[in-house]
Amino acid sequence: MSELFPVSVSVNGVAHGASVPARRLLSDFLRHDLRLTGTHVGCEHGVCGACTVLLDGAPVRSCLMFAVQAAGHEITTVEGCGTIEAMGPVQQALTESHGLQCGFCTTGFITTITAYLRENPEPTAVEAREAISGNLCRCTGYQNIVKSVLRAAELIRGTDAEAGDRQEAPA
C-alpha cells in the first residue's frame, strides 16, 4: 500500500481535506475524491485543455499537477464559475453566442476565458482567439467561441453592444 499524504485545499470557496497518494493527479482528486466531475480529462498530456482549473486564479492543467502540489491553494473549477440556475458571464456568453457543441471541452474553455478576461477585460477578436488557442475543440471552427469571449467581456463590463446595435438612431 502506498503512503498517503494530507491535502487541504479550498475548492470553489469550500475547504476540503483528504489523504491521497503522492502521485494522485489533481484532476483525479477533484473528480474522484471530491466528486466535482465538471473538470474533464481528455488527452492526459496537458494538450487539450479540457482539465483546466484555476489555481489561485491562474489557469493550470489539472492532469499535469499532483494534488499534493495544490495543498494550501484556492482552486476554482467550472462548478465555481456558475450554475445552470445562475450562469456566470462566460457560461451565459457561450450559450448566447452558440459557442459550444458537445460540451466536453467547454469546462476548460470556461475556466480559461474566466481567467483571461480578468487580465484583459476588453479583448479584440485576435486577442480572444490567441487566449483560447491552448484549448482544443473537435466540434467547432472556434468562430462562435471567439464571439463568446467578446460577449462575455461585454457582460462583465456591463455593456451590451448587441442592444446598442438595435437602438434606433436619433432623429
Side-chain angles (χ1 to χ4, degrees):
M1 180 170 215
S2 65
E3 184 178 359
L4 299 179
F5 295 86
V7 174
S8 295
V9 295
S10 176
V11 182
N12 304 324
V14 177
H16 293 276
S19 294
V20 300
R23 296 187 56 78
R24 170 77 41 91
L25 294 173
L26 180 57
S27 56
D28 292 334
F29 175 70
L30 295 168
R31 291 182 57 79
H32 303 293
D33 294 297
L34 302 185
R35 302 285 187 232
L36 296 169
T37 58
T39 300
H40 294 164
V41 178
C43 69
E44 297 185 81
H45 297 289
V47 175
C48 73
C51 70
T52 303
V53 299
L54 304 180
L55 182 75
D56 298 331
V60 298
R61 302 293 205 242
S62 65
C63 76
L64 296 180
M65 184 174 186
F66 295 121
V68 295
Q69 292 175 290
H73 293 277
E74 170 64 38
I75 299 167
T76 304
T77 67
V78 69
E79 290 92 346
C81 293
T83 65
I84 291 173
E85 298 80 23
M87 285 192 276
V90 176
Q91 293 161 315
Q92 182 179 340
L94 283 162
T95 301
E96 288 178 12
S97 301
H98 308 287
L100 33 102
Q101 298 271 324
C102 79
F104 189 82
C105 65
T106 304
T107 61
F109 275 104
I110 290 170
T111 52
T112 298
I113 295 166
T114 297
Y116 173 71
L117 291 176
R118 285 185 189 137
E119 297 293 319
N120 187 355
E122 296 188 50
T124 65
V126 170
E127 292 168 335
R129 185 171 293 279
E130 177 66 25
I132 63 169
S133 66
N135 292 70
L136 301 179
C137 176
R138 294 173 57 154
C139 299
T140 72
Y142 297 94
Q143 291 88 343
N144 287 343
I145 299 173
V146 171
K147 288 178 189 176
S148 298
V149 174
L150 301 177
R151 177 65 180 137
E154 291 173 355
L155 292 169
I156 291 167
R157 289 192 315 266
T159 61
D160 191 348
E162 290 181 2
D165 292 342
R166 291 189 295 267
Q167 293 176 354
E168 294 182 31

